[in-house]
Amino acid sequence: MKKLIILLFAVVFVAGIVNVGIAATPNEIKAYINTLESKLNVAIRAKDKKRQATLKQMIADQKVRLQAAEMAPPIAVPPPPPPARVASAPSAGLFGWGLNTDINVGYLMNKSILFGRANIVLPDPLGLGPIVGLSADSVKYKLGLGGFSGNDNADVKFQGVPIYLDGVINLPEDLLGGIKSYLSGGINYLVYRTGKTSGSIGGQIAFGIAGNIGLGSDTCLELGYSILRTGDKAVARSSKGLTISVGQAITL
């Protein structure tokens, strides 16, 4: 029985030592000091000098440990990271095709010709932008179909349906203080005109600015020069002059 009591005491003593080893906060150390002082009172009543000396030393050690723990700066707990923003998926367009298009309507000033065109906007497969020091998506192409009505250079009524092929270079935005701008140029061909015959190759160039005015995508304003020609060898007919037009980008 005496051996069993000694064994239990040893287990309790070892457990106390382990508890000290893992005590980290001042409150835990204070609780352990209270336990040691209770044991010291028991040893004093039992007049166990050896155990009293051991417990006093342990209490002194824990008070030093408590003083160090209370002087240690609190451990800063970093704030939780902000919730990750989930980027909204890009819009697939009006019909879900993801096809970039635009429409233009304008005025050819020489003989009062009104014109309009609709274009498919195609990315540059050759990667020409970085070659000239621009961004990778700065060059695009437009394939369009249009119509016009007015008078030719001889002041004769002139109507037709041209097809267009243009290259577009988006200029750096800091060129105009943050305003988007671009240059475009290309050729046109009249597939149908007054007289029910096709035409010949003409061309157009333009400078434009663009920005979102609340319609969901960029609206543009262009100033340019255009030439529309017929293929009639007997009576050459054409219309050319300055143009002004407005356009709207649309994703289908």
Side-chain angles (χ1 to χ4, degrees), residues 31-51:
Y32 183 62
I33 290 175
N34 291 334
T35 301
L36 293 177
E37 288 176 342
S38 298
K39 293 180 179 181
L40 177 59
N41 292 331
V42 174
I44 291 173
R45 287 195 296 270
K47 298 181 180 181
D48 188 343
K49 300 294 185 181
K50 183 177 180 180
R51 180 159 172 71

Side-chain angles (χ1 to χ4, degrees), residues 16-29:
I17 296 298
V18 172
N19 186 56
V20 172
I22 63 174
T25 66
N27 288 336
E28 291 174 336
I29 298 174

Side-chain angles (χ1 to χ4, degrees), residues 8 30 33 45 50 81 87 104 112 137 164 169 186 191 241:
L8 291 174
K30 289 178 180 177
I33 290 175
R45 287 195 296 270
K50 183 177 180 180
N104 290 79
S112 301
D137 60 349
Y164 298 90
I169 300 176
V191 294

Side-chain angles (χ1 to χ4, degrees), residues 8-236:
L8 291 174
F9 177 81
V11 170
V12 172
F13 184 81
V14 171
I17 296 298
V18 172
N19 186 56
V20 172
I22 63 174
T25 66
N27 288 336
E28 291 174 336
I29 298 174
K30 289 178 180 177
Y32 183 62
I33 290 175
N34 291 334
T35 301
L36 293 177
E37 288 176 342
S38 298
K39 293 180 179 181
L40 177 59
N41 292 331
V42 174
I44 291 173
R45 287 195 296 270
K47 298 181 180 181
D48 188 343
K49 300 294 185 181
K50 183 177 180 180
R51 180 159 172 71
Q52 291 178 35
T54 301
L55 290 170
K56 288 179 180 180
Q57 183 60 48
M58 292 177 65
I59 292 171
D61 291 342
Q62 292 308 308
K63 286 183 177 180
V64 172
R65 183 181 176 87
L66 175 61
Q67 185 178 9
E70 289 178 337
M71 293 178 62
I75 299 175
V77 179
R85 289 189 176 182
V86 179
S88 58
S91 173
L94 294 178
F95 305 112
W97 301 342
L99 181 64
N100 292 324
T101 67
D102 64 31
I103 57 174
N104 290 79
V105 293
Y107 179 68
L108 195 155
M109 300 179 188
N110 187 20
K111 292 299 179 178
S112 301
I113 286 182
L114 297 175
F115 65 87
R117 58 183 283 191
N119 309 288
I120 297 175
V121 182
L122 304 171
D124 174 26
L126 303 178
L128 299 178
I131 296 177
V132 294
L134 299 174
S135 61
D137 60 349
S138 61
V139 177
K140 294 181 174 61
Y141 299 96
K142 290 185 179 182
L143 179 62
L145 178 67
F148 67 89
S149 178
N151 295 335
D152 65 7
N153 288 344
D155 214 16
V156 178
K157 190 170 180 62
F158 192 32
Q159 296 175 324
V161 177
I163 57 174
Y164 298 90
L165 177 61
D166 288 279
V168 181
I169 300 176
N170 293 316
L171 302 176
E173 292 188 17
D174 56 4
L175 186 67
L176 295 179
I179 299 175
K180 296 179 182 178
S181 61
Y182 60 90
L183 292 172
S184 67
I187 59 175
N188 64 66
Y189 183 82
L190 301 188
V191 294
Y192 182 83
R193 67 168 179 86
T194 303
K196 299 183 179 180
T197 59
S198 60
S200 61
I201 292 177
Q204 62 278 334
I205 58 173
F207 171 79
I209 58 175
N212 192 333
I213 61 174
L215 299 180
S217 54
D218 283 349
T219 302
C220 67
L221 174 66
E222 291 185 0
L223 181 64
Y225 187 85
S226 179
I227 302 173
L228 300 167
R229 290 195 180 103
T230 72
D232 193 335
K233 295 181 180 179
V235 181

